[in-house]
Amino acid sequence: MRTRLVFAFLLVATVSAGTTSALTYRDARNALLRTAQDTAVSSFRDHVQQTGWSLPVPKTGMEEILRDIARKGKPRPWVVFAEYGSVRASSGENPVSTVITPELRRAAHAHSNGSFERVVKDGVPYLTIAMPTVIRIGPEGVLPSGLVLYAVMRMTDEQINVDALLMAARDGALPGLVIALVPGLIAARSVLRPVRELRQAAQSMGSGRLDTRITVRGSDELADLARTFNDSAGKLERSVRELREAEARARRFASDVSHELRTPLTGMLAVTEVLDEDADRLDPDTARAVRLVSTETGKLAVLVEDLMEISRFDARAAELNTDEVDVAQTIRKTLQNRHWTDGRVRTELPPGIRARLDPRRFDIVIANLVGNALRHGGVPVTVSLRVEARSPDPPVLITEVADSGPGIRPDVLPHIFDRFYKADAARTRSAGSGLGLAITQENVRLHGGTVRAGNLPGGGAVFTVEIPLHLEEADG
């Protein structure tokens, strides 16, 4: 922006200086040429009128008369030519001039007061003057005598003066432009200082310093912009502070509720286990009620555990306890612990892939993805594993969980990892807590990886987990 402002300032200065120099040069050049031209035309007319001519004009002696007129030339000597019928004479060596144009000859016969023309011949400027001689037949009337005198004067001195004027105009404009650069830089700096401060303040706010403000100087438009920025920053700071306080209260509430519910839930789970064992000896209605209480208590226990887990992520208290594991064996262990080895889940797990992972958190990732596929997708569910090289980045451990169901609707995909998001608005209850995929995403992020959801070309949903590996880990 500084470059554009300085360029615009210099452009205006250049146009102004160029216009002023051009107008000054034009006026000075015209005045210089007009002075020489008027002097020569007036002087030549007077000498022609003062010279007595007898008709018919004798050829002998004419050259001497022309030389006499030429010597009296102003502002410098002329070369004078005479044309009378077929007679041609001059004060020089050649009786006929190559500088006099046919247009000037026609003008000389058409205007009895004379004509002139500026001509450039072989790069040399000339002033040519045509002055016809007349015979007076009364106080007002004149008749052309047929004798026309021409004066040819070099204008090299005038051309030298004109070139000097051009150089002076050019040499005067260039220093002016250099000098104009200084106020241009000063003006650009004064204009850009508030803009630069605004950019720095915006960057500071973007990095989290919401108390950033701009010093207001003056009362122009930039000062109004600074005041508006400060007002907006103050309102944003207050809004963010209120949101953070509300978020902190919500986290604290969820954490407190989860901890408060954990102790009574532990007792309730113990009681429901005892009731489940005796349910077969109870009457049918009581047994149904006992099993319902046991099921709902189990769901509540899962929800409380998930709330406590997500609260640890929100508080940034979650940590990785990594260990070098056989990834395929870890996945098989997860499936065995959940009793998912009855053919509903297929595996494509090549042996020999080892990585440093947090076994507990990776177990949660696989369990949540497979459980979600079994609940909302279709069997069989396929779990596959592979390592993909991505030079120059480290290789990536890729785990895919695909089901054989109808897939995920396009409007659901952007929200699939949102907390408590339900793809079907009418489905108010589900077997899970509504936090499983959110917890999965947080655990993958804790490993420095990503998880994404999509649909297979032939139908069915697929969840892809990518966790970067160090080279030594991939080799091991």
Side-chain angles (χ1 to χ4, degrees):
M1 190 173 180
R2 178 193 298 272
T3 302
R4 291 197 296 268
L5 285 175
V6 173
F7 178 77
F9 192 89
L10 287 179
L11 180 62
V12 172
T14 301
V15 172
S16 301
T19 303
T20 303
S21 299
L23 293 176
T24 302
Y25 166 74
R26 187 194 64 179
D27 292 342
R29 173 180 177 274
N30 291 340
L32 182 63
L33 295 178
R34 189 181 299 111
T35 299
Q37 171 185 293
D38 293 345
T39 300
V41 172
S42 176
S43 176
F44 186 59
R45 181 185 291 112
D46 292 342
H47 288 309
V48 171
Q49 291 176 355
Q50 292 172 7
T51 302
W53 301 95
S54 60
L55 297 177
V57 178
K59 185 174 182 181
T60 59
M62 183 179 291
E63 287 82 357
E64 187 59 34
I65 297 174
L66 297 178
R67 292 190 190 97
D68 182 62
I69 296 175
R71 284 192 296 269
K72 300 175 182 178
K74 293 181 181 180
R76 59 187 55 84
W78 308 314
V79 177
V80 182
F81 297 86
E83 294 182 359
Y84 180 69
S86 62
V87 177
R88 300 290 185 270
S90 74
S91 63
E93 297 178 357
N94 298 320
V96 179
S97 173
T98 59
V99 178
I100 299 173
T101 63
E103 291 80 6
L104 183 62
R105 287 189 172 91
R106 287 194 294 270
H109 292 287
H111 303 285
S112 59
N113 291 328
S115 302
F116 63 89
E117 185 180 22
R118 289 200 294 268
V119 180
V120 177
K121 180 73 172 179
D122 297 330
V124 180
Y126 295 92
L127 174 66
T128 57
I129 308 170
M131 195 64 62
T133 61
V134 297
I135 302 173
R136 295 189 179 276
I137 58 176
E140 301 291 338
V142 294
L143 287 176
S145 66
L147 173 62
V148 181
L149 298 181
Y150 297 93
V152 178
M153 183 182 74
R154 283 176 174 262
M155 301 190 73
T156 52
D157 292 347
E158 284 76 12
Q159 185 63 42
I160 292 173
N161 293 333
V162 168
D163 293 341
L165 285 174
L166 180 61
M167 293 180 64
R170 182 193 63 192
D171 295 342
L174 291 178
L177 292 178
V178 175
I179 296 174
L181 181 63
V182 176
L185 292 173
I186 296 175
R189 181 181 179 184
S190 62
V191 171
L192 292 178
R193 184 191 298 113
V195 177
R196 185 167 54 252
E197 292 177 353
L198 180 63
R199 175 179 61 82
Q200 294 172 349
Q203 290 177 343
S204 179
M205 291 189 65
S207 63
R209 298 181 58 185
L210 300 181
D211 57 344
T212 302
R213 298 295 184 271
I214 300 176
T215 303
V216 180
R217 302 182 183 89
S219 59
D220 54 8
E221 289 81 0
L222 292 175
D224 293 338
L225 177 62
R227 294 189 188 92
T228 303
F229 177 87
N230 291 339
D231 293 341
S232 301
K235 294 177 181 178
L236 178 62
E237 184 182 13
R238 288 192 294 272
S239 299
V240 170
R241 183 171 58 250
E242 293 172 357
L243 288 173
R244 286 175 176 172
E245 292 174 354
E247 183 181 10
R249 288 194 298 270
R251 291 175 179 173
R252 194 162 49 249
F253 173 79
S255 178
D256 293 344
V257 168
S258 300
H259 281 85
E260 293 297 329
L261 288 176
R262 193 173 190 182
T263 300
L265 272 174
T266 302
M268 292 173 62
L269 287 172
V271 172
T272 54
E273 288 179 1
V274 174
L275 293 176
D276 281 339
E277 293 176 357
D278 297 335
D280 294 336
R281 293 192 295 270
L282 300 175
D283 61 87
D285 292 337
T286 305
R288 247 188 332 269
V290 167
R291 291 190 178 95
L292 178 61
V293 170
S294 177
T295 301
E296 295 302 323
T297 303
K299 291 180 180 179
L300 182 59
V302 171
L303 176 60
V304 169
E305 289 296 329
D306 287 347
L307 282 173
M308 293 182 64
E309 183 72 10
I310 207 74
S311 66
R312 282 191 286 269
F313 284 115
D314 289 341
R316 293 180 175 83
E319 296 180 352
L320 281 178
N321 296 311
T322 61
D323 191 10
E324 185 175 332
V325 298
D326 186 309
V327 183
Q329 183 178 351
T330 302
I331 294 176
R332 290 192 186 94
K333 185 177 179 181
T334 298
L335 300 179
Q336 291 172 358
N337 291 339
R338 272 77 174 180
H339 306 290
W340 289 334
T341 56
D342 54 358
R344 292 181 298 167
V345 181
R346 300 175 180 175
T347 58
E348 298 175 2
L349 308 175
I353 299 177
R354 302 186 65 83
R356 292 197 66 84
L357 301 171
D358 186 323
R360 184 183 72 85
R361 296 190 182 278
F362 190 70
D363 173 79
I364 293 174
V365 169
I366 300 301
N368 285 346
L369 292 180
V370 175
N372 184 77
L374 291 173
R375 283 192 299 271
H376 306 297
V379 294
V381 174
T382 302
V383 182
S384 60
L385 180 68
R386 70 180 186 273
V387 174
E388 185 175 296
R390 294 182 180 178
S391 179
D393 297 328
V396 176
L397 176 69
I398 300 178
T399 308
E400 288 184 348
V401 177
D403 62 53
S404 304
I408 306 172
R409 298 200 311 269
D411 60 310
V412 175
L413 277 174
H415 310 284
I416 196 70
F417 295 102
D418 292 352
R419 299 176 184 180
F420 299 108
Y421 179 77
K422 298 183 183 297
D424 186 359
R427 183 170 55 86
T428 57
R429 292 183 58 82
S430 64
S433 65
L435 294 172
L437 292 180
I439 292 174
T440 297
Q441 186 180 52
E442 294 295 341
N443 278 309
V444 173
R445 285 178 178 172
L446 204 60
H447 281 85
T450 59
V451 57
R452 64 179 184 273
N455 291 311
L456 296 171
V462 58
F463 287 82
T464 304
V465 177
E466 297 184 357
I467 298 176
L469 301 176
H470 298 296
L471 291 176
E472 60 271 15
E473 295 174 4
D475 294 338

